[in-house]
Amino acid sequence: MTIDIKSMGYARVASTNLDDWKQFAGKVLGLAEGRGPNPDNLYYRIDEVSARLVVFPSDTDQLDCVGWELADHDALQAAREHLSKAGVQSTEGTPEELAERRVQELVRFTDPFGNVFELFHGITYESRPVVTPYAAKFVTGDQGMGHVVIPVDDDVEALKFYRDVLGFRLRDSMSMPGEFVGKPAGSKIWLRFLGVNPRHHSLAFLPMPNPSRCVHLMLEVDKLDDVGRALERVKKHKAPLSATLGRHMNDEMVSFYVKSPGGFDIEFGCEGLTVSDERWVARESTAVSYWGHAFGQSG
């Protein structure tokens, strides 16, 4: 038995400059401002959920945690017991934390590499329709908020933990030269892509330390035109483009990457592949993209 995670529910980001995030999230990404219990925090909506992205003031810039949604109390209780049996220490959300995240219950734990995860159920959703600043519609539903790519120290141990302990399912892999992360010449490291729902992957990991605790977060819209418009806003507002427009090989997403004020990238895309676990076969892709995605270029 493993934990029955349904989707990526939310991301919380620590920030030294909320004004930068307000400009970036609203003017560049086109997220809708939401409301929340703490007037010092920024809350952003992309669908009916009260807040998918929360940015709060801090003395550091980094991804603070990712929340993973479970179905109900019984599923969360089973997760508690499973984590305990696996030797993973967890803590219960305080009443203040539950109110801030607007969930009924949550359990927090840290993976073997220092990444903070929260398992929750019962998040609130709004009667007021979400109206994003540029009328883009985001792909969520049973696919959740999007996906996250996190840094780890050891790709072999990471695969064991996320697959065998947390219940993520391997969807795709890509090998890279070990020299990229200071390993001996001729060695290999693995970038692994794992899923929990029809989205090709909700979680991926790269064995490369990263001070922002995140490689990138991905948000998906339902139309290519909205990706193009967002790319124009990147240029208009002089946000640092990390990778040009391209189509990924594994999940077939057409996207670009832009550097967030948190130090990690946001991938903004459309046309992501959806899969069925009953028929899916995990394979090794031989390139990052079919075309485009020139990293480190601003044109």
Side-chain angles (χ1 to χ4, degrees), residues 246-263:
R247 185 186 288 276
H248 278 308
M249 188 173 175
N250 60 2
D251 69 353
E252 301 180 7
M253 185 165 289
V254 178
S255 63
F256 65 85
Y257 291 73
V258 60
K259 186 71 74 180
S260 77

Side-chain angles (χ1 to χ4, degrees), residues 176-195:
M176 301 170 66
E179 302 95 280
F180 283 4
V181 294
K183 298 203 170 190
S187 64
K188 276 202 302 193
I189 58 169
W190 289 97
L191 178 55
R192 305 279 193 184
F193 302 86
L194 303 103

Side-chain angles (χ1 to χ4, degrees), residues 116-131:
V116 181
F117 291 157
E118 295 177 351
L119 305 177
F120 72 89
H121 77 87
I123 200 165
T124 61
Y125 61 105
E126 302 289 330
S127 61
R128 184 168 46 92
V130 64
V131 180

Side-chain angles (χ1 to χ4, degrees), residues 212-232:
S212 64
R213 293 187 182 175
C214 181
V215 180
H216 72 256
L217 285 172
M218 186 283 299
L219 299 172
E220 182 179 359
V221 290
D222 67 350
K223 292 188 177 68
L224 178 61
D225 286 346
D226 288 319
V227 177
R229 292 184 184 112
L231 190 54
E232 289 185 339

Side-chain angles (χ1 to χ4, degrees), residues 15 19 38 41 48 54 84 90 120 133 138 146 149-151 158 192 201 203 209 230-231 240 250 264 294:
S15 174
D19 288 340
N38 190 330
N41 298 351
E48 71 277 8
V54 179
S84 178
S90 64
F120 72 89
F138 288 83
V149 183
I150 56 176
R192 305 279 193 184
H201 60 278
L203 173 74
L231 190 54
N250 60 2
F264 53 85

Side-chain angles (χ1 to χ4, degrees), residues 24-277:
F24 179 75
K27 299 292 188 185
V28 177
L29 300 181
L31 311 186
E33 285 192 37
R35 304 168 186 162
N38 190 330
D40 295 330
N41 298 351
L42 301 176
Y43 300 90
Y44 289 101
R45 292 180 62 191
I46 57 174
D47 60 5
E48 71 277 8
V49 172
S50 297
R52 291 287 196 179
L53 175 68
V54 179
V55 185
F56 62 89
S58 174
D59 56 1
T60 57
D61 288 295
Q62 62 185 29
L63 178 65
D64 180 68
C65 71
V66 177
W68 300 96
E69 187 162 21
L70 277 62
D72 52 26
H73 168 77
D74 289 345
L76 188 60
Q77 183 56 32
R80 287 185 181 98
E81 295 168 6
H82 183 77
L83 289 173
S84 178
K85 287 177 183 175
V88 179
Q89 291 188 329
S90 64
T91 58
E92 295 293 320
T94 65
E96 293 76 19
E97 289 165 343
L98 299 181
E100 161 68 10
R101 290 152 180 78
R102 284 166 284 185
V103 300
Q104 291 180 28
E105 289 184 277
L106 89 86
V107 171
R108 181 185 299 105
F109 65 94
T110 303
D111 75 359
F113 318 102
N115 301 297
V116 181
F117 291 157
E118 295 177 351
L119 305 177
F120 72 89
H121 77 87
I123 200 165
T124 61
Y125 61 105
E126 302 289 330
S127 61
R128 184 168 46 92
V130 64
V131 180
T132 60
Y134 304 101
K137 288 185 169 60
F138 288 83
V139 177
T140 57
D142 61 358
Q143 297 188 53
M145 175 184 178
H147 75 234
V148 62
V149 183
I150 56 176
V152 299
D153 302 326
D154 185 319
D155 52 357
V156 176
E157 289 304 312
L159 182 58
K160 287 180 184 175
F161 182 78
Y162 299 129
R163 182 189 60 196
D164 301 343
V165 177
L166 300 189
F168 285 88
R169 300 181 284 280
L170 181 64
R171 295 279 171 76
D172 203 89
S173 302
M174 190 173 69
S175 65
M176 301 170 66
E179 302 95 280
F180 283 4
V181 294
K183 298 203 170 190
S187 64
K188 276 202 302 193
I189 58 169
W190 289 97
L191 178 55
R192 305 279 193 184
F193 302 86
L194 303 103
V196 289
N197 57 46
R199 193 181 291 281
H200 176 273
H201 60 278
S202 296
L203 173 74
F205 60 81
L206 181 66
M208 187 180 293
N210 183 317
S212 64
R213 293 187 182 175
C214 181
V215 180
H216 72 256
L217 285 172
M218 186 283 299
L219 299 172
E220 182 179 359
V221 290
D222 67 350
K223 292 188 177 68
L224 178 61
D225 286 346
D226 288 319
V227 177
R229 292 184 184 112
L231 190 54
E232 289 185 339
R233 296 194 300 271
V234 166
K235 294 176 181 176
K236 176 182 177 181
H237 295 287
K238 298 182 171 56
L241 191 68
S242 301
T244 57
L245 192 70
R247 185 186 288 276
H248 278 308
M249 188 173 175
N250 60 2
D251 69 353
E252 301 180 7
M253 185 165 289
V254 178
S255 63
F256 65 85
Y257 291 73
V258 60
K259 186 71 74 180
S260 77
F264 53 85
D265 285 342
I266 299 291
E267 180 184 5
F268 196 97
C270 68
E271 300 181 10
L273 182 67
T274 57
V275 305
S276 163
D277 279 305

